[in-house]
Amino acid sequence: MVIDARTAVTGVILAGGRAERMGGQDKGLLLLGGKPLIMHGIRRLRPQVAALLISANRNQDVYRAFGCPVVGDDPQMQFRGPLAGMLAAMDAAETPYLLTAPCDSPLLPPDYARRMWAALEQGGSSISVAFGEGSWQPVFALLPVALRDDLAEWLAAGQGGVGRWLQRHQPARVAFADGPALFRNVNTPEELARLEVELQLI
């Protein structure tokens, strides 16, 4: 069997935040181009991985209707940010690797998983993290499920910051030059409206 992203990697779309700057609306369910943001992520990521999960702490029944298993944060870790969602996905994954993407990134490239996987195949690191627009993009990460206990200890110690945890493991840098929309973090209604306009121009 050829080992690659489509056999060794579980994808997870992170939709577990409070989205306070969105007025508390569930960001993954907001409409973009007439479809919920989560649907854009599912359509682009599912063909690239062996399995796909959704990390969500609200409206879990709604998310299940999109055809993917839904995992929620451990009650003691709930709403601790993307790391809590990654930990929950590690507990559920049946593959050795986990690939993450936020729910508000509707333009994931079709070779996202392959490029992240290729960085690991080059050796020297157990984690790969996307790099674009001049900085690390830590919610776009490929990491081994074997780091589950390390992550749990980090969170149990009261630590946070997905970027800080990933950098402890000296990640491989995966350069993406697919345009700023790939790493767009839609935090406000105004940002969502701007992205809607930009998508119409693509």
Side-chain angles (χ1 to χ4, degrees), residues 19-106:
E20 293 176 348
R21 283 181 283 177
M22 277 288 187
Q25 298 180 82
D26 196 330
K27 192 185 296 186
L29 302 179
L30 296 178
L31 297 182
L32 178 70
K35 297 179 180 179
L37 278 169
I38 194 72
M39 286 188 65
H40 294 276
I42 290 171
R43 179 174 61 86
R44 290 189 173 244
L45 189 54
R46 181 149 48 189
Q48 303 186 45
V49 293
L52 184 61
L53 304 172
I54 297 172
S55 166
N57 292 309
R58 299 180 290 169
N59 301 307
Q60 291 184 337
D61 288 341
V62 177
Y63 280 113
R64 287 189 188 96
F66 294 109
C68 300
V70 176
V71 295
D73 298 349
D74 181 286
Q76 295 182 340
M77 304 287 184
Q78 203 165 43
F79 296 112
R80 288 279 302 277
L83 286 178
M86 291 178 183
L87 181 61
M90 286 179 172
D91 286 335
E94 297 180 357
T95 59
Y97 286 88
L98 185 73
L99 179 65
T100 68
C103 66
D104 55 352
S105 295

Coordinates of all heavy atoms in Angstrom, one line a residue, residues 19-106:
A19 N -16.6 32.6 18.2 CA -16.9 33.7 17.2 C -17.5 34.9 17.8 O -18.5 35.5 17.3 CB -17.7 33.1 16.1
E20 N -16.8 35.4 18.9 CA -17.4 36.6 19.6 C -17.5 37.8 18.7 O -18.4 38.6 18.8 CB -16.6 36.8 20.8 CG -16.7 35.7 21.9 CD -15.8 35.9 23.1 OE1 -14.9 36.8 23.0 OE2 -16.0 35.2 24.1
R21 N -16.5 38.0 17.8 CA -16.5 39.2 16.9 C -17.6 39.0 15.8 O -17.9 40.0 15.1 CB -15.1 39.4 16.3 CG -14.2 40.1 17.4 CD -12.9 40.4 16.8 NE -12.1 39.1 16.7 CZ -10.8 39.1 16.1 NH1 -10.3 40.2 15.6 NH2 -10.2 37.9 16.1
M22 N -18.2 37.8 15.7 CA -19.3 37.6 14.8 C -20.6 37.7 15.6 O -21.6 37.3 15.1 CB -19.2 36.2 14.1 CG -18.3 36.2 12.9 SD -19.0 37.0 11.5 CE -17.8 36.6 10.2
G23 N -20.5 38.3 16.7 CA -21.7 38.4 17.6 C -22.2 37.1 18.1 O -23.3 36.9 18.5
G24 N -21.2 36.1 18.2 CA -21.5 34.8 18.8 C -22.2 33.8 17.8 O -22.5 32.7 18.2
Q25 N -22.3 34.2 16.6 CA -22.9 33.3 15.6 C -21.9 32.2 15.3 O -20.7 32.3 15.5 CB -23.1 34.1 14.3 CG -24.2 35.2 14.3 CD -24.3 35.8 13.0 OE1 -25.1 35.4 12.2 NE2 -23.7 36.9 12.8
D26 N -22.4 31.0 15.0 CA -21.6 29.9 14.7 C -21.0 30.1 13.3 O -21.7 30.0 12.3 CB -22.5 28.6 14.8 CG -21.6 27.3 14.9 OD1 -20.5 27.4 14.3 OD2 -22.1 26.4 15.4
K27 N -19.7 30.4 13.3 CA -19.0 30.8 12.1 C -19.2 29.8 10.9 O -19.4 30.1 9.8 CB -17.6 31.1 12.4 CG -16.9 31.9 11.2 CD -15.4 32.0 11.5 CE -15.1 32.9 12.7 NZ -13.6 33.1 12.8
G28 N -19.0 28.5 11.3 CA -19.1 27.5 10.2 C -20.4 27.4 9.5 O -20.4 26.9 8.4
L29 N -21.4 27.9 10.1 CA -22.8 27.9 9.5 C -23.2 29.1 8.8 O -24.3 29.2 8.2 CB -23.8 27.5 10.6 CG -23.5 26.2 11.3 CD1 -24.6 25.9 12.4 CD2 -23.5 25.0 10.3
L30 N -22.3 30.2 8.8 CA -22.6 31.4 8.1 C -22.5 31.1 6.6 O -21.7 30.3 6.1 CB -21.6 32.5 8.5 CG -21.7 32.9 10.0 CD1 -20.6 34.0 10.3 CD2 -23.1 33.5 10.3
L31 N -23.3 31.8 5.8 CA -23.4 31.6 4.4 C -22.3 32.4 3.6 O -22.1 33.5 3.9 CB -24.8 31.9 3.9 CG -25.9 31.1 4.4 CD1 -27.2 31.5 3.8 CD2 -25.7 29.6 4.3
L32 N -21.7 31.7 2.7 CA -20.8 32.3 1.7 C -21.2 31.7 0.3 O -21.1 30.5 0.2 CB -19.4 32.0 2.1 CG -18.3 32.6 1.1 CD1 -18.3 34.1 1.2 CD2 -17.0 32.0 1.4
G33 N -21.6 32.6 -0.6 CA -22.0 32.1 -1.9 C -23.2 31.2 -1.8 O -23.4 30.3 -2.6
G34 N -24.1 31.5 -0.8 CA -25.3 30.7 -0.6 C -25.1 29.4 0.1 O -26.1 28.6 0.3
K35 N -23.9 29.0 0.5 CA -23.6 27.8 1.2 C -22.9 28.0 2.5 O -22.1 29.0 2.6 CB -22.8 26.9 0.4 CG -23.5 26.4 -0.9 CD -22.5 25.5 -1.8 CE -23.2 25.1 -3.1 NZ -22.3 24.3 -3.9
P36 N -23.2 27.2 3.6 CA -22.4 27.4 4.8 C -20.9 27.3 4.6 O -20.5 26.5 3.8 CB -23.0 26.3 5.7 CG -24.3 25.9 5.1 CD -24.1 26.1 3.7
L37 N -20.2 28.1 5.4 CA -18.7 28.0 5.3 C -18.2 26.6 5.4 O -17.2 26.2 4.7 CB -18.1 28.9 6.3 CG -18.0 30.4 6.0 CD1 -17.6 31.2 7.2 CD2 -17.0 30.7 4.9
I38 N -18.8 25.8 6.3 CA -18.3 24.5 6.5 C -18.4 23.6 5.3 O -17.5 22.7 5.0 CB -19.1 23.8 7.7 CG1 -18.3 22.5 8.2 CG2 -20.5 23.5 7.3 CD1 -17.1 22.8 8.9
M39 N -19.4 23.9 4.4 CA -19.5 23.1 3.2 C -18.4 23.3 2.2 O -17.9 22.4 1.5 CB -20.9 23.4 2.5 CG -22.1 22.8 3.2 SD -23.6 23.0 2.3 CE -23.2 22.0 0.8
H40 N -17.9 24.6 2.2 CA -16.8 24.9 1.3 C -15.5 24.1 1.7 O -14.8 23.5 0.9 CB -16.5 26.4 1.3 CG -17.6 27.2 0.7 ND1 -17.7 27.5 -0.6 CD2 -18.6 27.9 1.3 CE1 -18.7 28.2 -0.9 NE2 -19.3 28.5 0.3
G41 N -15.3 24.0 3.0 CA -14.2 23.3 3.6 C -14.3 21.8 3.3 O -13.3 21.2 2.9
I42 N -15.5 21.3 3.5 CA -15.7 19.8 3.3 C -15.4 19.5 1.9 O -14.7 18.5 1.5 CB -17.1 19.4 3.7 CG1 -17.3 19.5 5.3 CG2 -17.4 18.0 3.2 CD1 -18.7 19.3 5.7
R43 N -16.0 20.3 1.0 CA -15.9 20.0 -0.5 C -14.4 20.0 -0.9 O -14.0 19.1 -1.7 CB -16.7 21.0 -1.3 CG -16.6 20.8 -2.8 CD -17.5 21.8 -3.5 NE -17.1 23.2 -3.2 CZ -16.2 23.8 -3.9 NH1 -15.6 23.3 -4.9 NH2 -16.0 25.1 -3.6
R44 N -13.6 20.8 -0.4 CA -12.2 20.9 -0.8 C -11.3 19.9 -0.1 O -10.3 19.5 -0.7 CB -11.7 22.3 -0.6 CG -12.4 23.3 -1.6 CD -11.7 24.7 -1.6 NE -12.3 25.5 -2.7 CZ -11.6 26.0 -3.7 NH1 -10.3 25.6 -3.8 NH2 -12.1 26.7 -4.6
L45 N -11.6 19.7 1.2 CA -10.6 18.9 2.0 C -10.9 17.4 1.9 O -10.0 16.5 1.9 CB -10.6 19.3 3.4 CG -9.5 18.7 4.3 CD1 -8.1 18.9 3.7 CD2 -9.6 19.3 5.7
R46 N -12.2 17.0 1.8 CA -12.5 15.5 1.9 C -11.8 14.7 0.8 O -11.3 13.6 1.1 CB -14.0 15.3 1.8 CG -14.4 13.9 1.9 CD -15.7 13.6 2.6 NE -16.8 14.4 2.1 CZ -18.0 14.5 2.7 NH1 -18.3 13.7 3.8 NH2 -19.0 15.2 2.2
P47 N -11.7 15.1 -0.4 CA -11.0 14.3 -1.4 C -9.5 14.1 -1.2 O -8.9 13.2 -1.8 CB -11.2 15.0 -2.7 CG -12.3 16.0 -2.5 CD -12.2 16.4 -1.0
Q48 N -8.9 14.9 -0.3 CA -7.5 14.9 -0.1 C -7.0 14.0 1.1 O -5.8 13.7 1.2 CB -7.0 16.3 0.2 CG -7.4 17.3 -0.9 CD -6.7 18.6 -0.6 OE1 -5.5 18.7 -0.3 NE2 -7.5 19.7 -0.8
V49 N -7.9 13.5 1.9 CA -7.6 12.7 3.1 C -8.3 11.4 3.2 O -9.3 11.2 2.5 CB -7.8 13.6 4.3 CG1 -6.9 14.8 4.4 CG2 -9.3 14.1 4.4
A50 N -7.8 10.6 4.2 CA -8.5 9.3 4.3 C -9.8 9.4 5.0 O -10.7 8.6 4.8 CB -7.6 8.4 5.2
A51 N -10.0 10.4 5.9 CA -11.2 10.6 6.7 C -11.3 12.1 7.0 O -10.3 12.8 7.1 CB -11.3 9.7 7.9
L52 N -12.5 12.5 7.3 CA -12.7 13.9 7.7 C -13.6 14.1 8.9 O -14.6 13.5 8.9 CB -13.3 14.7 6.5 CG -13.4 16.2 6.6 CD1 -12.1 16.9 6.8 CD2 -14.1 16.8 5.4
L53 N -13.1 14.9 9.8 CA -13.9 15.2 11.0 C -14.2 16.7 11.1 O -13.6 17.5 10.4 CB -13.0 14.9 12.3 CG -12.5 13.5 12.5 CD1 -11.5 13.5 13.6 CD2 -13.6 12.5 12.6
I54 N -15.2 17.0 11.8 CA -15.6 18.4 12.1 C -15.4 18.6 13.6 O -16.0 17.8 14.4 CB -17.0 18.8 11.7 CG1 -17.1 18.7 10.2 CG2 -17.4 20.2 12.1 CD1 -18.6 18.8 9.7
S55 N -14.7 19.6 14.0 CA -14.5 20.0 15.4 C -15.5 21.1 15.7 O -15.4 22.2 15.2 CB -13.1 20.5 15.7 OG -13.1 21.1 17.0
A56 N -16.5 20.8 16.6 CA -17.6 21.8 16.9 C -18.1 21.6 18.3 O -18.2 20.5 18.8 CB -18.7 21.6 15.9
N57 N -18.4 22.7 19.0 CA -18.9 22.7 20.3 C -20.3 23.1 20.4 O -20.9 23.0 21.5 CB -18.0 23.6 21.2 CG -16.6 23.0 21.4 OD1 -16.5 21.8 21.8 ND2 -15.6 23.8 21.2
R58 N -20.9 23.6 19.3 CA -22.3 24.0 19.3 C -22.9 23.4 18.0 O -22.2 23.1 17.1 CB -22.4 25.5 19.2 CG -21.8 26.3 20.4 CD -21.9 27.8 20.2 NE -21.1 28.3 19.2 CZ -21.2 29.6 18.7 NH1 -22.1 30.4 19.2 NH2 -20.4 30.0 17.8
N59 N -24.2 23.3 18.0 CA -25.0 22.9 16.8 C -24.4 21.6 16.2 O -24.3 21.4 15.0 CB -25.0 24.0 15.8 CG -25.6 25.3 16.3 OD1 -26.7 25.3 16.8 ND2 -24.9 26.3 16.1
Q60 N -24.0 20.6 17.1 CA -23.4 19.4 16.6 C -24.3 18.6 15.7 O -23.8 18.0 14.7 CB -22.9 18.6 17.8 CG -21.7 19.3 18.5 CD -21.1 18.4 19.6 OE1 -21.8 17.5 20.2 NE2 -19.9 18.6 20.0
D61 N -25.6 18.6 16.0 CA -26.5 17.8 15.1 C -26.6 18.4 13.7 O -26.7 17.7 12.7 CB -27.9 17.8 15.8 CG -28.0 16.9 17.0 OD1 -27.1 16.0 17.1 OD2 -28.9 17.0 17.8
V62 N -26.5 19.8 13.7 CA -26.5 20.4 12.4 C -25.2 20.1 11.6 O -25.3 19.7 10.4 CB -26.6 22.0 12.5 CG1 -26.5 22.7 11.2 CG2 -27.9 22.3 13.3
Y63 N -24.1 20.1 12.3 CA -22.9 19.7 11.6 C -22.8 18.2 11.1 O -22.3 17.9 10.1 CB -21.7 20.0 12.5 CG -21.3 21.5 12.5 CD1 -21.4 22.2 13.7 CD2 -20.7 22.1 11.4 CE1 -21.0 23.6 13.7 CE2 -20.3 23.4 11.4 CZ -20.5 24.1 12.6 OH -20.1 25.5 12.6
R64 N -23.4 17.4 11.9 CA -23.5 16.0 11.5 C -24.2 15.8 10.2 O -23.9 14.8 9.5 CB -24.1 15.1 12.6 CG -23.2 14.9 13.9 CD -23.8 13.9 14.8 NE -23.1 13.9 16.1 CZ -23.4 14.6 17.2 NH1 -24.5 15.3 17.2 NH2 -22.6 14.5 18.2
A65 N -25.2 16.6 10.0 CA -26.0 16.5 8.7 C -25.1 16.7 7.5 O -25.6 16.4 6.4 CB -27.1 17.5 8.8
F66 N -23.9 17.2 7.6 CA -23.0 17.4 6.5 C -22.2 16.2 6.1 O -21.4 16.2 5.2 CB -22.1 18.6 6.7 CG -22.8 19.9 6.8 CD1 -22.9 20.6 8.0 CD2 -23.4 20.5 5.7 CE1 -23.5 21.8 8.1 CE2 -24.0 21.7 5.8 CZ -24.1 22.4 7.0
G67 N -22.5 15.1 6.9 CA -21.9 13.8 6.5 C -20.6 13.5 7.1 O -19.9 12.5 6.6
C68 N -20.1 14.2 8.1 CA -18.8 13.9 8.7 C -19.0 13.7 10.2 O -19.9 14.4 10.8 CB -17.9 15.1 8.5 SG -17.5 15.5 6.8
P69 N -18.2 12.8 10.8 CA -18.3 12.7 12.3 C -17.9 14.0 12.9 O -17.0 14.8 12.4 CB -17.2 11.6 12.6 CG -17.1 10.9 11.3 CD -17.3 11.9 10.2
V70 N -18.6 14.3 14.0 CA -18.4 15.6 14.8 C -17.7 15.3 16.1 O -18.2 14.4 16.8 CB -19.7 16.4 14.9 CG1 -19.5 17.6 15.8 CG2 -20.2 16.7 13.6
V71 N -16.7 16.0 16.5 CA -16.0 15.8 17.8 C -16.1 17.2 18.5 O -15.9 18.2 17.9 CB -14.6 15.4 17.6 CG1 -14.5 14.0 17.0 CG2 -13.7 16.3 16.8
G72 N -16.4 17.1 19.8 CA -16.4 18.3 20.6 C -15.2 18.3 21.6 O -14.6 17.2 21.9
D73 N -14.9 19.5 22.1 CA -13.8 19.6 23.1 C -14.1 18.8 24.3 O -15.3 18.7 24.7 CB -13.5 21.0 23.4 CG -13.1 21.9 22.3 OD1 -12.8 21.3 21.2 OD2 -13.1 23.1 22.4
D74 N -13.1 18.3 25.0 CA -13.3 17.8 26.3 C -13.9 18.9 27.2 O -13.5 20.1 27.1 CB -11.9 17.4 26.9 CG -12.0 16.8 28.3 OD1 -12.2 17.6 29.3 OD2 -11.9 15.6 28.5
P75 N -14.9 18.6 28.0 CA -15.6 19.6 28.8 C -14.6 20.5 29.6 O -14.8 21.7 29.8 CB -16.5 18.8 29.8 CG -16.8 17.6 29.0 CD -15.5 17.3 28.3
Q76 N -13.5 19.9 30.1 CA -12.5 20.7 30.8 C -11.7 21.6 29.9 O -11.0 22.5 30.4 CB -11.6 19.8 31.6 CG -12.3 19.0 32.7 CD -11.4 18.2 33.5 OE1 -10.3 17.8 33.1 NE2 -11.9 17.8 34.7
M77 N -11.7 21.4 28.6 CA -10.9 22.1 27.7 C -11.8 23.0 26.8 O -11.2 23.7 25.9 CB -10.1 21.2 26.8 CG -9.2 20.2 27.5 SD -7.8 21.0 28.2 CE -6.9 19.6 28.9
Q78 N -13.1 23.0 26.9 CA -14.0 23.6 26.0 C -13.7 25.0 25.8 O -13.4 25.8 26.7 CB -15.4 23.4 26.4 CG -16.4 23.4 25.3 CD -17.8 22.9 25.7 OE1 -18.3 23.2 26.8 NE2 -18.4 22.1 24.8
F79 N -13.7 25.4 24.5 CA -13.5 26.8 24.1 C -12.1 27.3 24.5 O -11.9 28.5 24.8 CB -14.6 27.7 24.6 CG -15.9 27.4 24.0 CD1 -16.9 26.9 24.8 CD2 -16.2 27.6 22.7 CE1 -18.2 26.6 24.3 CE2 -17.5 27.3 22.2 CZ -18.5 26.8 23.0
R80 N -11.1 26.4 24.5 CA -9.7 26.8 24.8 C -9.0 27.1 23.5 O -7.7 27.2 23.5 CB -9.0 25.6 25.6 CG -9.4 25.4 27.0 CD -8.7 26.4 27.9 NE -7.3 26.3 27.8 CZ -6.6 25.4 28.5 NH1 -7.2 24.6 29.3 NH2 -5.3 25.4 28.4
G81 N -9.7 27.2 22.4 CA -9.1 27.5 21.2 C -8.8 26.3 20.3 O -9.2 25.2 20.6
P82 N -8.1 26.6 19.2 CA -7.8 25.5 18.2 C -7.1 24.3 18.8 O -7.4 23.1 18.3 CB -7.0 26.1 17.1 CG -7.2 27.6 17.3 CD -7.5 27.8 18.7
L83 N -6.3 24.4 19.8 CA -5.6 23.3 20.4 C -6.5 22.3 21.0 O -6.3 21.1 20.9 CB -4.5 23.8 21.4 CG -3.3 24.4 20.9 CD1 -2.4 24.9 22.0 CD2 -2.5 23.5 19.9
A84 N -7.6 22.8 21.6 CA -8.6 21.9 22.2 C -9.3 21.1 21.1 O -9.5 19.9 21.3 CB -9.6 22.6 23.0
G85 N -9.5 21.7 20.0 CA -10.1 21.0 18.9 C -9.2 20.0 18.3 O -9.6 18.9 17.9
M86 N -7.9 20.3 18.2 CA -6.9 19.4 17.7 C -6.8 18.2 18.6 O -6.7 17.0 18.1 CB -5.6 20.1 17.6 CG -5.5 21.1 16.5 SD -3.8 21.9 16.5 CE -4.1 23.2 15.3
L87 N -6.9 18.4 19.9 CA -6.8 17.3 20.9 C -8.0 16.3 20.7 O -7.8 15.1 20.7 CB -6.7 17.8 22.3 CG -6.6 16.8 23.4 CD1 -5.3 15.9 23.2 CD2 -6.6 17.5 24.8
A88 N -9.2 16.9 20.6 CA -10.3 16.1 20.4 C -10.3 15.3 19.1 O -10.7 14.1 19.1 CB -11.6 16.9 20.4
A89 N -9.8 15.9 18.1 CA -9.6 15.2 16.8 C -8.6 14.1 16.9 O -8.7 13.0 16.3 CB -9.3 16.2 15.7
M90 N -7.5 14.3 17.6 CA -6.5 13.3 17.8 C -7.1 12.0 18.5 O -6.8 10.9 18.2 CB -5.3 13.8 18.6 CG -4.4 14.7 17.9 SD -3.1 15.3 19.0 CE -2.0 16.1 17.9
D91 N -8.0 12.3 19.5 CA -8.6 11.2 20.2 C -9.5 10.4 19.3 O -9.7 9.2 19.5 CB -9.4 11.7 21.4 CG -8.6 12.2 22.5 OD1 -7.4 11.7 22.7 OD2 -9.0 13.1 23.3
A92 N -10.1 11.0 18.3 CA -11.0 10.3 17.4 C -10.4 9.7 16.1 O -10.9 8.8 15.5 CB -12.1 11.3 17.0
A93 N -9.2 10.3 15.7 CA -8.6 9.9 14.5 C -8.1 8.4 14.5 O -7.6 7.9 15.5 CB -7.4 10.8 14.2
E94 N -8.3 7.7 13.4 CA -7.9 6.3 13.2 C -6.7 6.2 12.3 O -6.3 5.1 11.9 CB -9.0 5.5 12.7 CG -10.2 5.4 13.7 CD -11.3 4.6 13.3 OE1 -11.3 4.1 12.1 OE2 -12.3 4.4 14.0
T95 N -6.1 7.4 12.0 CA -4.9 7.4 11.1 C -3.7 8.0 11.9 O -4.0 8.6 13.0 CB -5.1 8.3 9.9 OG1 -5.4 9.6 10.4 CG2 -6.2 7.8 9.0
P96 N -2.5 7.8 11.5 CA -1.4 8.3 12.3 C -1.2 9.8 12.2 O -0.4 10.4 13.0 CB -0.1 7.6 11.7 CG -0.6 7.2 10.3 CD -2.0 6.9 10.4
Y97 N -1.8 10.5 11.3 CA -1.6 11.9 11.2 C -2.9 12.7 11.1 O -4.0 12.1 10.7 CB -0.8 12.3 9.9 CG 0.7 11.9 10.0 CD1 1.1 10.6 9.7 CD2 1.6 12.8 10.5 CE1 2.5 10.3 9.9 CE2 2.9 12.5 10.7 CZ 3.4 11.3 10.3 OH 4.7 10.9 10.5
L98 N -2.9 13.9 11.5 CA -4.0 14.8 11.5 C -3.7 16.1 10.7 O -2.6 16.7 11.0 CB -4.4 15.2 13.0 CG -5.7 16.0 13.2 CD1 -6.9 15.1 12.9 CD2 -5.7 16.5 14.6
L99 N -4.6 16.5 9.9 CA -4.4 17.7 9.1 C -5.5 18.7 9.4 O -6.7 18.4 9.3 CB -4.4 17.4 7.6 CG -4.3 18.6 6.6 CD1 -2.9 19.2 6.8 CD2 -4.5 18.2 5.2
T100 N -5.1 19.9 9.8 CA -6.1 20.9 10.3 C -6.4 22.0 9.3 O -5.5 22.4 8.6 CB -5.7 21.5 11.6 OG1 -4.6 22.3 11.4 CG2 -5.3 20.4 12.6
A101 N -7.6 22.5 9.3 CA -7.9 23.7 8.6 C -9.1 24.4 9.3 O -10.0 23.7 9.8 CB -8.3 23.4 7.2
P102 N -9.1 25.7 9.4 CA -10.2 26.4 10.0 C -11.5 26.4 9.1 O -11.4 26.3 7.9 CB -9.7 27.8 10.2 CG -8.7 28.0 9.1 CD -8.1 26.6 8.9
C103 N -12.6 26.6 9.7 CA -13.9 26.5 8.9 C -14.1 27.7 8.0 O -14.9 27.7 7.1 CB -15.1 26.4 9.9 SG -15.4 27.8 11.0
D104 N -13.3 28.8 8.3 CA -13.5 30.0 7.5 C -12.5 30.1 6.4 O -12.1 31.3 6.0 CB -13.6 31.2 8.4 CG -12.3 31.4 9.2 OD1 -11.5 30.5 9.3 OD2 -12.2 32.4 9.9
S105 N -12.0 29.0 5.9 CA -11.0 29.0 4.7 C -11.6 28.3 3.6 O -11.3 27.1 3.4 CB -9.7 28.4 5.2 OG -9.1 29.2 6.2
P106 N -12.5 29.0 2.8 CA -13.2 28.3 1.7 C -12.4 28.0 0.5 O -12.9 27.4 -0.5 CB -14.3 29.3 1.4 CG -13.7 30.6 1.7 CD -12.9 30.4 2.9

